[in-house]
Amino acid sequence: VPLQYKQHNKNMSKSSMKLVNAKEGCNETIKALWASESFGVAVKGGKSKLTSEVALVLDDVLVAGDGNAIGLAFYRLSGNSAGGGSIMLEAVIDNWCEWERTVLRPATTNANTKKLDACYAELARALENSHRHVVGHSTTLADIAIVTTLAAAVNLTLPPVVATYVDAHSEALAAAKKGISDLSSASVGDLDMTNTSISHVLEQVFTNALKEVFGDDVEPPLWFY
């Protein structure tokens, strides 16, 4: 069961935010990084032993564990509203994200032709006014969720209008995928060699070793330093 987005300290620091257990080829990780970039919320990488799935950690508390929920958290943290200030648009975006989770995802996973055709028809209706966005005229969490799922289903033959929609977001999708390796390489194991004193280097080596064992869930005790 995915972790649910929970109300957290409204004065939380964005610098304390980590996306833990990021994985290449993981749709939830791709959604999270795409949302991070789209909504201008910086995030650090990390590991956690509390869950094996990708999750958002704020102030050492797991607050979201599904790509859509993490994206919603980034919306809120960015200070933006999901629908440009319109409650009605926000509701439409939420409905599309729920549709992606409960209808589109199962249809693509099971390759159910009848259900996929119904999904394509629904998307085609939504894309009549804009070939790039299902809601409004800018990228929303709905686009991120839907395009990520469709792009991952490589064995599907998409109808032209849906294929055009997915292709329109190929650059942003590629950037999100690239961000996974960048995030992973910058999370655990990097040594700061600007200070090459023996004590400083050893401190980093043992800190990284502890994080490999326990993840980012605990900090080394004060006596360790």
Side-chain angles (χ1 to χ4, degrees):
V1 178
L3 296 165
Q4 299 298 314
Y5 178 74
K6 301 190 295 184
Q7 182 72 24
H8 198 52
N9 182 354
K10 292 183 179 179
N11 296 319
M12 69 181 86
S13 169
K14 293 180 185 178
S15 63
S16 65
M17 183 163 45
K18 293 178 182 177
L19 186 68
V20 299
N21 305 331
K23 304 179 184 73
E24 295 203 23
C26 168
N27 282 357
E28 306 315 304
T29 302
I30 293 170
K31 290 177 186 177
L33 289 178
W34 187 352
S36 169
E37 179 65 24
S38 293
F39 311 136
V41 178
V43 64
K44 298 178 180 179
K47 294 183 179 180
S48 174
K49 301 299 182 181
L50 297 179
T51 175
S52 61
E53 302 300 324
V54 60
L56 183 66
V57 172
L58 290 169
D59 297 333
D60 299 321
V61 177
L62 287 171
V63 295
D66 173 84
N68 294 358
I70 294 171
L72 178 60
F74 289 157
Y75 261 129
R76 303 310 183 204
L77 286 169
S78 70
N80 298 322
S81 57
S86 167
I87 294 176
M88 290 300 295
L89 281 179
E90 288 195 7
V92 174
I93 292 168
D94 287 344
N95 283 340
W96 274 111
C97 289
E98 184 66 7
W99 177 84
E100 179 273 332
R101 186 180 70 83
T102 61
V103 179
L104 182 62
R105 259 189 250 178
T108 58
T109 300
N110 300 324
N112 186 308
T113 302
K114 185 177 181 180
K115 291 184 177 180
L116 282 171
D117 287 343
C119 289
Y120 298 152
E122 183 137 7
L123 281 172
R125 286 191 292 271
L127 293 167
E128 285 179 353
N129 297 322
S130 169
H131 295 302
R132 292 180 59 91
H133 310 291
V134 292
V135 183
H137 300 285
S138 61
T139 299
T140 67
L141 186 55
D143 296 311
I144 292 171
I146 293 168
V147 170
T148 300
T149 294
L150 288 174
V154 294
N155 294 324
L156 298 182
T157 301
L158 303 178
V161 64
V162 178
T164 298
Y165 169 56
V166 173
D167 288 344
H169 297 277
S170 59
E171 187 175 335
L173 187 63
K177 291 179 178 179
K178 181 181 182 300
I180 298 175
S181 58
D182 294 342
L183 192 69
S184 299
S185 63
S187 58
V188 176
D190 290 341
L191 297 182
D192 175 12
M193 297 305 293
T194 56
N195 181 348
T196 56
S197 69
I198 298 252
S199 60
H200 178 73
V201 172
L202 286 176
E203 173 188 314
Q204 290 183 83
V205 169
F206 283 108
T207 298
N208 288 338
L210 286 173
K211 288 188 176 183
E212 286 290 348
V213 175
F214 299 107
D216 290 330
D217 305 317
V218 296
E219 292 295 328
L222 292 177
W223 54 260
F224 175 76
Y225 300 107

